Amino acid sequence: MTRTVYFADKSVLFTAEAPSDAAACRVLRAGADDVSRTNVTKILETDNCVAIVAPDPGAAFEAFAAEFAQVEAAGGVVVDDRGAWLMIRRNGRWDLPKGHVEPGESVDACAAREIAEETGVAAEVVRPLCETLHAYWFPPTQRWELKRTHWFLLRSTATQPTVPQSEEGISEAVWCVPAAVAGHLRDAFPTIRRVAEAMERACRTEP
């Protein structure tokens, strides 16, 4: 199974076969090339994608992930009675509400809590959507972190007023009709577009 770790707008793939479009990704072969965090992040300074090819992609990913501090987070897509999505604008880019899981907290409870804190909207979890992996250097702790975010579909029974959490860099929290969602996704990080794809699949399978 292919896994993808995002570094902002760039990506690292763990796969059993090299991508068909070799020009789009720098290919490293586990066991023959240096697939350490140090080397991969150096390559990402100039390349947008690295494909780590290994007979066991899962094992290659676990070895790579061991070089990071592990962080668990949760968030989601809140949908109201009109079918509008709740989106936020954080640090100049469109995003979905999410945050770190607190000790002893379940991931679905975290998603609902973070949404309420970041947007002022109360919502109920309906179902899981997907997970995403996002790696970054975190200056306050002077360490590389790998964040696994658990994403959920949530529902709000009515269009509630929003209160963006400005101290978290959130300038807007808005209800977006489908046409607006599509436009905002073009300005979002790849992880958010992955969540939108999972949301589309979930909607097709709902009764």
Side-chain angles (χ1 to χ4, degrees):
M1 182 179 79
T2 299
R3 298 194 191 208
T4 304
V5 178
Y6 292 98
F7 290 71
D9 290 303
K10 302 188 177 188
S11 58
V12 178
L13 314 178
F14 294 84
T15 178
E17 297 181 359
S20 55
D21 184 4
C25 250
R26 175 85 70 89
V27 174
L28 300 179
R29 298 191 179 275
D33 299 314
D34 181 358
V35 296
S36 67
R37 183 195 67 208
T38 299
N39 189 49
V40 169
T41 53
K42 181 67 175 177
I43 293 171
L44 289 176
E45 292 176 7
T46 54
D47 292 51
N48 290 325
C49 176
V50 174
I52 297 176
V53 180
D56 185 344
F61 164 75
E62 293 297 339
F64 185 74
E67 298 188 60
F68 296 79
Q70 307 296 305
V71 176
E72 295 288 319
V77 180
V78 181
V79 180
D80 70 6
D81 291 339
R82 304 171 303 157
W85 290 21
L86 179 62
M87 297 191 74
I88 61 174
R89 193 161 177 82
R90 189 199 309 264
N91 299 325
R93 295 187 74 165
W94 287 102
D95 202 347
L96 293 168
K98 63 184 179 302
H100 291 177
V101 177
E102 294 183 349
E105 185 178 39
S106 66
V107 289
D108 55 342
C110 172
R113 175 183 57 77
E114 285 289 345
I115 288 164
E117 291 177 358
E118 293 193 344
T119 70
V121 172
E124 294 186 357
V125 171
V126 175
R127 61 183 291 184
L129 287 175
C130 65
E131 295 179 5
T132 58
L133 295 162
H134 170 213
Y136 51 89
W137 172 255
F138 193 53
T141 55
Q142 290 291 295
R143 66 183 188 179
W144 280 95
E145 296 185 350
L146 178 61
K147 180 186 293 183
R148 184 189 304 271
T149 304
H150 306 261
W151 295 98
F152 294 87
L153 164 62
L154 302 93
R155 292 203 181 277
S156 174
T157 55
T159 302
Q160 301 178 37
T162 62
V163 182
Q165 192 178 22
S166 58
E167 59 268 31
E168 290 292 326
I170 301 171
S171 57
E172 298 179 67
V174 294
W175 292 100
C176 304
V177 297
V181 171
H184 294 340
L185 288 174
R186 289 193 288 271
D187 181 45
F189 286 109
T191 49
I192 302 306
R193 292 194 288 272
R194 286 285 296 271
V195 177
E197 291 168 3
M199 183 68 177
E200 290 179 7
R201 291 192 297 271
C203 290
R204 288 197 298 268
T205 59
E206 280 192 337

